[in-house]
Amino acid sequence: MSDKRVLSGIQPTGNLHLGNYLGAIKNFVAMQNEFKCFFMLADLHALTVKTDPKVLKENILNTAATFLAAGLKSNKSTIFCQSQINSHTDLAWILNCIARVGWLNRMTQFKEKAGSNKENASIGLYTYPILMAADILIYKATHVPVGDDQKQHLELCRDIALKFNNDYKNNYFTLPEAIIPKSVSRIMSLRNGTKKMSKSEESDLSRINLTDTKDVISQKIKKAKTDNDTINEKIFDKESKRYEAQNLIKIYSNLKSETHDKVLKDYNGKTFIDFKKDLSDLVIEEIIPISNMIKKYRNDDKELINILINGSMVANDIAEKTIFEIKKIVGLA
Ligand code: AMP
Ligand code: TRP
């Protein structure tokens, strides 16, 4: 095993969808054989918007079940809940004092999530990227697999680590690198090819949930927005603006492990009616086994809870060592 360390997190804020799967979880699974991996349920991040406690508890278990159902293994990766490791928030405070207001003011996700009512957004939503930096740096992660929407937060994490090193005249933190999958870094809504597929989009038709049944998946793909043109090699040309078509081709080529060119060649001249039938079969083949396994894991929450407790113990040992070293560097220990 190489000395690369991988960490990533997902907020337990609702049903995970095909975007989370292709953009993040599928890559987590691929990495666990090669690297030392930490995969975390970012439950503290989930509190940055109003959350019903009962719903949050269910979502934590559902997300843990999804990690395992997708193929993460507790004997290969450390799987745990962020809120169980106090050093994350200890380090976040220290990093709050390193990061600059101007840096946070540039974060586009805050602007999008806070919308027009910025004054009323939680402070947690504003400082969320700093907690995320603490999540990464407390395990000295070298690689962070995420979707494209997290790229700016990773850059901020590097800036914070670098300023810490400069301020305290040491090289304590290694700067972590984002690992962003090329063509599926941003899976788009099935209803609007210019908006990303998201848990919070009102219409359920906009996304494929990892718990959807066969029938629901095929209905959603049948209803997915496309255009009236046939499939041809110009779909990815900048001027084509066929965003919905591009999205469906990207999903297909990822699931089939084929290049876009090959897919476009195979379907050249065909309509989306033919294509959608095949796409639907592919999505069902990938998602239904996961959906069945999620149900199986949720049948016995004891096993899930045990996995999270064991993961927390491993994570806590490492995190406590790091925070002690950092406290010494900054003069708190
Ligand atoms: P979140 O659901 O916001 O906690 O995101 C969890 C992970 O899934 C992050 O790495 C995101 O970048 C990734 N992700 C979320 N939505 C999409 C999407 N539509 N396409 C690709 N990746 C996504
Ligand atoms: N902010 C990430 C998201 O919403 C989740 C997250 C929290 C995360 N901490 C992290 C991702 C650390 C990578 C590394 O998707």
Side-chain angles (χ1 to χ4, degrees):
M1 199 172 276
S2 80
D3 25 309
K4 286 184 187 161
R5 270 198 191 192
V6 170
L7 175 128
S8 196
I10 293 204
Q11 296 189 54
T13 43
N15 269 338
L16 297 183
H17 52 71
L18 192 66
N20 296 126
Y21 178 66
L22 298 181
I25 303 172
K26 196 174 171 187
N27 306 311
F28 299 175
V29 176
M31 289 176 149
Q32 64 179 347
N33 292 326
E34 258 183 276
F35 311 119
K36 191 168 173 55
C37 288
F38 298 84
F39 296 116
M40 179 190 87
L41 309 178
D43 52 355
L44 293 175
H45 279 103
L47 291 179
T48 57
V49 292
K50 199 167 187 306
T51 331
D52 177 323
K54 283 202 194 89
V55 175
L56 177 58
K57 247 187 160 168
E58 272 301 291
N59 282 339
I60 289 173
L61 293 171
N62 282 337
T63 309
T66 308
F67 274 10
L68 299 168
L72 290 184
K73 301 256 182 289
S74 59
N75 58 355
K76 291 185 179 168
S77 299
T78 303
I79 300 167
F80 66 101
C81 265
Q82 177 191 36
S83 64
Q84 301 308 303
I85 318 293
N86 295 333
S87 322
H88 288 232
T89 43
D90 286 355
L91 179 56
W93 180 259
I94 294 173
L95 301 183
N96 268 325
C97 302
I98 300 284
R100 306 288 94 183
V101 172
W103 299 358
L104 273 191
N105 283 344
R106 285 199 285 275
M107 295 297 114
T108 53
Q109 193 179 79
F110 173 74
K111 289 180 198 160
E112 276 163 26
K113 286 198 176 174
S116 51
N117 200 0
K118 241 178 22 200
E119 293 291 309
N120 201 32
S122 74
I123 304 282
L125 190 65
Y126 182 65
T127 59
Y128 144 152
I130 299 182
L131 177 59
M132 180 165 161
D135 299 335
I136 297 167
L137 298 173
I138 198 101
Y139 299 101
K140 302 180 183 168
T142 56
H143 291 81
V144 184
V146 279
D148 182 65
D149 59 346
Q150 297 300 321
K151 194 170 163 202
Q152 197 185 30
H153 293 159
L154 251 295
E155 280 157 13
L156 180 84
C157 174
R158 290 168 64 91
D159 288 343
I160 293 174
L162 191 62
K163 186 166 189 304
F164 180 95
N165 288 352
N166 286 338
D167 285 0
Y168 290 101
K169 299 192 178 33
N170 63 26
N171 265 326
Y172 185 74
F173 289 127
T174 331
L175 306 192
E177 272 176 44
I179 302 193
I180 298 176
K182 269 204 192 91
S183 83
V184 285
S185 62
R186 192 172 278 255
I187 297 293
M188 307 314 269
S189 153
L190 299 181
R191 308 299 298 164
N192 177 348
T194 62
K195 273 171 81 178
K196 74 168 187 173
M197 186 178 283
S198 121
K199 293 168 186 164
S200 53
E201 170 68 44
E202 215 174 293
S203 165
D204 198 51
L205 285 175
S206 69
R207 66 186 156 256
I208 308 278
N209 300 308
L210 299 182
T211 47
D212 281 344
T213 61
K214 258 187 196 176
D215 290 347
V216 170
I217 294 175
S218 56
Q219 276 306 314
K220 284 181 176 172
I221 293 183
K222 211 185 249 171
K223 291 196 174 144
K225 191 173 164 206
T226 41
D227 48 53
N228 295 326
D229 223 344
T230 55
I231 297 177
N232 59 51
E233 76 281 3
K234 295 209 166 74
I235 282 183
F236 286 96
D237 287 1
K238 259 213 177 113
E239 316 77 65
S240 91
K241 301 203 169 143
R242 298 178 67 186
Y243 304 118
E244 287 83 12
Q246 291 171 0
N247 191 39
L248 297 186
I249 302 284
K250 281 181 186 172
I251 296 172
Y252 182 101
S253 63
N254 178 281
L255 293 174
K256 195 91 196 268
S257 305
E258 284 177 351
T259 62
H260 299 163
D261 284 353
K262 164 103 174 54
V263 179
L264 294 180
K265 225 181 241 161
D266 288 349
Y267 285 90
N268 192 26
K270 293 199 173 148
T271 67
F272 272 97
I273 299 174
D274 303 315
F275 176 80
K276 280 179 169 180
K277 169 85 192 58
D278 295 346
L279 176 62
S280 190
D281 289 346
L282 273 182
V283 174
I284 287 170
E285 201 181 310
E286 185 100 4
I287 299 306
I288 292 302
I290 298 179
S291 151
N292 290 339
M293 286 301 279
I294 294 175
K295 283 192 208 107
K296 191 181 145 266
Y297 278 111
R298 285 305 320 265
N299 269 340
D300 180 11
D301 287 342
K302 260 196 254 123
E303 188 188 347
L304 277 180
I305 291 166
N306 268 337
I307 289 175
L308 293 177
I309 291 176
N310 288 336
S312 298
M313 290 196 295
V314 175
N316 198 45
D317 277 353
I318 300 172
E320 277 194 342
K321 276 193 197 106
T322 311
I323 198 71
F324 184 64
E325 288 167 1
I326 293 172
K327 281 185 169 172
K328 277 209 289 205
I329 293 173
V330 302
L332 293 173

